[in-house]
């Protein structure tokens, strides 16, 4: 980050959507449903001041739905309530107090109705989407093989941290254009929806995007919906609108993941081969089931794991409920699956009497193996290197053997003389970058490069990276590819209008843009010797459908993969049953790290979320933030998303380390309290 | 009601509803946009200002209680040499904060220095907790604070 911006930020001089105001500002809010399910019977409005404005479903001027590539929901509900907090009316007034009075004076009659049944694996009602994947003969093998185990896992609902910044939105009209001030990671989607809601052209919607915070990645559509609301009232009132969001609404507009239930059955041969796995899972996808196919298919792919296994049978379903519409969690929803699959595999190999490190080295997936559905892995994986690095830094093998011996002694002596027990465990995972579904709104990105007569390069990008150092690296890269005098010959322009890009989620953006800049420069370089300057080149990314057959789950689903491993070492005090996380080690391979400090922050934030998911919301009251180490190993020269690797890696490693120290298995996330107390679970 | 208080070193007189929160007074009536109220309930710390040398949540202070106080917001704090020390500390530690909570972080650390404390790690962690940030761990912040404290006390000794 450049010095000036850093100072401005610390000095509180950065402006936000909520700072946009004038004397004519209309304060606005949505009236939301207090019930998760029901039908609106009557809405009675109090006498309204002259300068107040109301909009409901029937007075929406244009489209009544908010569209996403995989699903839609109403902009305002007509009469059916699908989740608590669903917007019913938009209200605007000249003063905040007046607005609150109007809202308090509205009498809303809703006939509450029973909610849709809660998630369970056996409940087949309200299935939004189901994916069945079969490879080999899992069922047959699971009837007869040597070591067969089955276990149920539960991951309860969790939510990303909510910061207020991301929910703020204001809108003003300038000429015939609407200027929306917001923090948004998917401008093309916002503009498309706002334009159709207001029944105007898309180029009449301009987004002033504010620098996003650390939590923006998962807010796929949340801010766009509020932005449409603000723009609608701005159009109606012909006044600038500041849309107010209180703390509860802010929470509502923060991505949350529904509950997941996972059942796994697996067979291990006496030689230690993982012969077959059967995984059934169900995820609560909330109201309207937005993005369900993408999420369930990704989770299905995650079930196939990082170990060789020929026979697989996976059934995944997304179940609609009256929870708020789901988003795209920053771990890309892999964490619940990886928690279950890694924990299960660790338990299985332990029962089979195999040493985990050696087993993982032997059985890790490699080039040429079946991977992700029916495809074979075309490139070598960095898993071996990751494991070697991890074991060197954490002394994993020695510690694991010695803790295992101690545990075996404890079990055979059934007497406990130590004052604390220790455990250590390792987990491995990958994360696919980019979206699985090849919808142009999700996957496009474009970069334009213009090399002028004076030897200066202008790059037009669809997004503005949060970190200046990323830009610096891009400038260096472009300068060296074109042999320019220096990186200061490269300047950047952010043009969301022309360089329409997809969302940031799924670790796609920086990866794609880096690659597109590279392609632009290579192309300019080629033309340079033929064509006169200026040379103007635009490169677009859109994935070729043919590489991934989503019905058969065959081919290359992801643009690139990131890999990682984690070791967690714990100690449990035998008197207080207090858990201490002695140390945590991560080794991550996410291609070229453009900016190490910010990658570290991404890891730290991932760990923060992982701790919350593993130990419960109030973990900070009981535990200190543990010390951890991160090692980035970079093999490629393109950056790849760190995605939610950390969130996926940490929980199973923690659960299995606790298992070694306490002889108790964790089957739920957050890990159940009973795991560490005296009352016996098993 | 009319309230009198010192704001960033200047005597200030304002006419405001007695229950209007200081956080909103600072933003709406004084134009101090570096105050970033979030929860309005003393939970997030976004609205942090200094009352004398103490960090306080301005969303919990109604106008009538603000009367007579000596309030410093980030806009005032920036004018003091301590700001530069903190900026350098954060910079050297590679602290990456979001734009929203950064000023409150600076003020909460500024309070430690103003109070003349030289806290140990546990106390620093407590101080970090005054501004609730859900997105980063305390590691780099703690280092940043240590660096700033070192610089400050080294200067004092000189
Ligand atoms: S707004 Fe004051 S603490 Fe959150
Ligand atoms: S809320 Fe600002 S960095 Fe976390």
């Amino acid at each position: 980050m450049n010095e000036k911006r850093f100072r401005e930020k610390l000095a509180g001089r950065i402006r936000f959507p909520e700072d946009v105001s004038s004397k004519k500002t209309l304060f606005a809010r949505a009236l939301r449903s207090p019930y998760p399910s029901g039908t609106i019977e009557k809405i009675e409005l109090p006498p309204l001041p002259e300068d107040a404005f109301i909009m409901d479903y029937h007075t929406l001027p244009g489209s009544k739905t908010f569209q996403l590539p995989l699903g839609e929901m109403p902009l305002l509900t007509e009469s059916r309530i699908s989740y608590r907090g669903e917007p019913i009316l938009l209200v605007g007034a000249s003063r905040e107090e007046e607005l609150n009075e109007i809202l308090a004076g509205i009498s809303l009659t809703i006939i509450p109705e029973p909610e849709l049944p809660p998630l369970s694996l056996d409940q087949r009602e309200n299935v939004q989407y189901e994916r069945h994947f079969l490879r080999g003969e899992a069922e047959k093998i699971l009837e007869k093989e040597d070591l067969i185990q089955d276990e149920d896992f539960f991951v309860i609902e969790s939510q990303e941290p909510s910061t207020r910044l991301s929910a703020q939105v204001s809108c003003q009209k300038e000429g015939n254009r609407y200027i929306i001030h917001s923090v948004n990671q998917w401008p093309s989607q916002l503009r498309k929806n706002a334009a159709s809601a207001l029944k105007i052209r898309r180029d009449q919607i301009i987004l002033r995007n504010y620098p996003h915070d650390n939590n923006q990645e998962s807010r796929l559509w949340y801010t766009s919906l509020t932005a449409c609301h603000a723009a609608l009232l701005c159009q109606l009132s012909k006044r600038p609108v500041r849309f107010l969001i209180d703390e509860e609404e802010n929470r509502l507009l923060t991505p949350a993941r529904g509950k997941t239930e996972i059942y796994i059955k697996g067979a291990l041969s006496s030689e230690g081969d993982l012969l077959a796995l059967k995984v059934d899972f169900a995820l609560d996808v909330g109201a309207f089931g937005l993005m369900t196919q993408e999420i369930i298919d990704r989770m299905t792919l995650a079930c196939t794991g990082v170990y060789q296994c020929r026979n697989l049978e996976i059934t995944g379903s997304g179940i609609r409920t009256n929870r708020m519409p789901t988003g795209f969690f920053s771990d890309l929803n892999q964490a619940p699956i990886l928690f279950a699959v890694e924990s299960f595999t660790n338990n299985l190999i332990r029962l089979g009497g195999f040493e985990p490190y050696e087993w993982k080295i032997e059985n890790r997936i490699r080039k040429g193996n079946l991977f992700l559905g029916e495809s074979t892995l075309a490139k070598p994986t960095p898993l071996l290197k990751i494991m070697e690095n991890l074991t060197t830094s954490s002394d994993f093998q020695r510690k694991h053997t010695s803790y295992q011996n101690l545990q075996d002694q404890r079990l055979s002596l059934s007497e406990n003389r130590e004052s604390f027990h220790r455990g250590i465990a390792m987990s491995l995972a990958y994360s696919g970058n980019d979206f699985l579904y090849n919808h142009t709104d999700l996957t496009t990105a474009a970069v334009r490069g213009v090399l002028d007569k004076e030897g200066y390069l202008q790059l037009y990008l669809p997004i503005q990276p949060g970190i200046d150092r990323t830009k610096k690296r891009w400038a260096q890269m472009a300068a060296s590819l074109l042999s320019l005098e220096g990186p200061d010959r490269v300047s950047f322009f952010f043009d969301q209008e022309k360089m329409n890009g997809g969302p940031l989620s799924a670790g796609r953006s920086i990866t794609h843009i880096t690659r597109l800049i590279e392609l632009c420069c290579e192309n300019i370089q080629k033309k340079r010797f033929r064509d006169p300057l200026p040379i103007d080149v635009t490169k677009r990314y859109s994935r070729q459908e043919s590489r991934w057959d989503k019905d058969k789950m065959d081919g290359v689903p992801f643009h690139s993969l990131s890999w990682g491993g984690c070791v967690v070492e714990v100690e449990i005090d035998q008197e207080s049953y207090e858990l201490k996380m002695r140390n945590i080690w991560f080794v991550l391979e996410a291609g070229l790290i453009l900016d190490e400090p910010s990658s570290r922050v991404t890891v730290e934030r991932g760990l923060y979320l992982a701790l919350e998911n593993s130990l419960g919301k109030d973990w900070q009251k009981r535990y200190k933030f543990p010390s951890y180490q991160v090692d980035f190993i970079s093999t490629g020269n393109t950056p790849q998303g760190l995605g939610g690797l950390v969130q996926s890696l940490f929980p199973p490693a923690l659960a299995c380390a606790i298992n070694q120290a306490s002889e108790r298995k964790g089957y739920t996330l957050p890990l159940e309290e009973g795991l560490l107390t005296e009352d016996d679970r098993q | 009601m009319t309230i009198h208080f010192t704001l960033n070193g200047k005597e200030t007189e304002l006419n405001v509803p007695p229950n209007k929160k200081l956080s909103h007074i600072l933003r709406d009536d004084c134009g101090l946009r570096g105050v970033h109220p979030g929860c309005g309930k003393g939970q997030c710390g976004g609205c942090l200002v200094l009352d004398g040398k103490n960090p306080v949540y301005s969303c919990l202070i109604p106008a009538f209680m603000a009367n007579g106080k000596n309030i410093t917001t980030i806009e005032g704090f920036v004018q003091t040499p301590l700001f530069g020390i903190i900026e350098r500390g954060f910079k050297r530690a590679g602290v990456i904060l979001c734009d929203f909570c950064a000023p409150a972080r600076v003020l909460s650390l500024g309070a430690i220095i103003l109070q003349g404390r030289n806290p140990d790690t546990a106390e620093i962690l407590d101080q970090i907790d005054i501004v609730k940030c859900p997105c980063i761990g305390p590691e780099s912040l703690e280092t940043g604070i240590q660096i700033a404290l070192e610089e400050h006390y080294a200067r004092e000794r000189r």
Side-chain angles (χ1 to χ4, degrees), chain A residues 394-412:
Chain A
S394 67
D395 197 8
F396 177 80
Q397 264 181 299
R398 188 193 60 78
K399 284 181 183 163
H400 186 273
T401 316
S402 101
Y403 299 163
Q404 196 54 52
N405 289 341
L406 286 170
Q407 190 190 34
D408 294 343
Q409 277 171 25
R410 286 199 297 269
L411 291 174
S412 60

Side-chain angles (χ1 to χ4, degrees), chain A residues 163 214, chain B residues 97-98 101 133-135:
Chain A
T163 56
N214 300 338
Chain B
L97 292 165
C98 75
C101 63
C133 156
C135 42

